[in-house]
Amino acid sequence: MSTPPEQPADPEPPPRRSPASTFVEKAAIVAAPSTVTFALLYYFGSLYIKAYYSTLGVLPEDLGFSVQGIVASSTSAIFVPLCGLLAGGLVVFLVFGWLGRALAGPDRAVRRRTAIVWLLTLGVALMMLGLPVFFTDLVSLFPEGWARRFIPALMVAVGATLAICAVHLRLSESTGIRVRAAPAAERTWLAGGTMLIGLLTVSLFFAMAQYVADIGRGDAQLDAEEGYRDTPWVVVHSKVPLAHHAKNIRFRDYGSENAPYRYEYKGFRMLAKAPGRFYLVSGTSRYHDRRVVMLPDDGTAWLEIRGA
């Protein structure tokens, strides 16, 4: 008498995920890019502030900007290059899709391999021309100015983009959409593509940092040439005579009857206020003849602010 076969046990249902864990995972997906974005805004904002105030002769480390102030300073500096990067990324994305469709199919396999070789060769060549500039004196081969600061990084970025396009064509299927299973050879291409993406990110980050620093220096020089229009006029009332070399500052001694603040100085604009000092400059000076006066905030003088 045969026994009936044992029925397989019902598989255990997968553990039920709590709503709290689901919320934490979704929050992490949103928070990670937000944290990176905030860190980048803070970094570029600090670069802008340092370049701006250092150009005017102010110590940026003394100013004590808040985190919100530093982040706010970055928005105007990175708006134009960020729009350019977004537009360039969209163009590259569309070109990748068009090229994948144009070279799809077994009848275009030869053209596809030729395109891969040319794109990879040209991309590597551009990267080899741009990378040594960061570590050697070859930067002197470029003319002074924006070309010396930006062309090497842009060469690396363009070269990495072309090489990434080659890797994309190599890894994509004939449809140009799905990616095949990765055997040993294709894992090498994947690793190379990952390294190229990192190199592209670093080169664009370097170029963006150079751009923000240039914008900070340029804004400082422009504000100085326009007479510091966005800074307030101040009148200094001092207990003791001030030793300074700022030009066109009007001095008046009111005598002992107006003691202790008997000395008055007009014609200053306040560039910045640090926790322990004021940075003043003559309102009639320009960038080439500016003389920054650092006035301690120790009770020796008080400032009357007259507005911008």
Side-chain angles (χ1 to χ4, degrees):
M1 183 176 180
S2 61
T3 60
E6 295 183 0
Q7 298 294 330
D10 294 335
E12 295 183 1
R16 186 177 181 182
R17 301 169 63 186
S18 65
S21 63
T22 304
F23 172 78
V24 170
E25 291 179 2
K26 292 182 178 179
I29 294 174
V30 175
S34 301
T35 303
V36 173
T37 302
F38 185 83
L40 290 175
L41 290 175
Y42 182 87
Y43 175 76
F44 290 130
S46 62
L47 274 183
Y48 178 86
I49 290 174
K50 184 175 182 179
Y52 181 89
Y53 285 102
S54 297
T55 303
L56 292 178
V58 178
L59 299 176
E61 294 80 7
D62 288 351
L63 300 182
F65 280 93
S66 65
V67 174
Q68 293 85 351
I70 293 175
V71 172
S73 299
S74 68
T75 54
S76 60
I78 67 173
F79 180 77
V80 173
L82 185 60
C83 290
L85 288 178
L86 292 176
L90 177 61
V91 171
V92 170
F93 178 78
L94 294 176
V95 169
F96 275 23
W98 172 82
L99 197 59
R101 291 190 299 270
L103 299 177
D107 55 329
R108 297 185 177 90
V110 176
R111 294 182 180 179
R112 189 183 190 88
R113 286 193 295 268
T114 303
I116 291 172
V117 171
W118 276 103
L119 288 171
L120 190 60
T121 303
L122 183 57
V124 172
L126 287 175
M127 288 187 292
M128 291 298 102
L129 290 175
L131 279 176
V133 175
F134 297 111
F135 311 105
T136 65
D137 295 332
L138 292 177
V139 69
S140 60
L141 298 177
F142 295 92
E144 292 185 0
W146 69 269
R148 180 173 293 185
R149 292 190 296 272
F150 295 109
I151 286 182
L154 293 179
M155 289 174 61
V156 176
V158 172
T161 302
L162 294 176
I164 290 171
C165 184
V167 174
H168 168 74
L169 291 176
R170 173 63 177 78
L171 293 176
S172 60
E173 283 186 342
S174 59
T175 58
I177 300 175
R178 293 179 300 173
V179 177
R180 295 174 294 186
E186 297 194 356
R187 291 195 188 98
T188 304
W189 282 89
L190 283 172
T194 303
M195 184 184 68
L196 290 170
I197 292 175
L199 191 59
L200 173 63
T201 303
V202 170
S203 60
L204 292 177
F205 180 84
F206 179 82
M208 181 80 81
Q210 292 285 89
Y211 177 85
V212 170
D214 278 4
I215 288 295
R217 288 188 288 266
D219 286 350
Q221 295 177 10
L222 181 61
D223 289 345
E225 290 300 323
E226 293 180 348
Y228 313 96
R229 293 185 303 178
D230 294 331
T231 59
W233 291 99
V234 294
V235 179
V236 180
H237 303 273
S238 178
K239 295 179 180 179
V240 298
L242 301 181
H244 66 87
H245 297 283
K247 68 176 187 177
N248 298 329
I249 300 300
R250 300 182 299 278
F251 166 72
R252 184 175 179 181
D253 183 359
Y254 284 97
S256 58
E257 64 273 11
N258 288 333
Y261 298 97
R262 57 183 290 182
Y263 304 105
E264 181 184 86
Y265 297 85
K266 291 183 178 181
F268 280 116
R269 282 186 179 270
M270 186 164 62
L271 286 180
K273 172 64 174 76
R277 58 183 64 91
F278 301 95
Y279 289 94
L280 309 177
V281 67
S282 171
T284 61
S285 66
R286 295 299 179 260
Y287 179 73
H288 65 281
D289 62 350
R290 70 196 186 281
R291 297 290 186 273
V292 178
V293 178
M294 190 171 62
L295 182 64
D297 186 12
D298 56 0
T300 303
W302 68 277
L303 273 62
E304 179 183 348
I305 299 178
R306 295 288 181 88

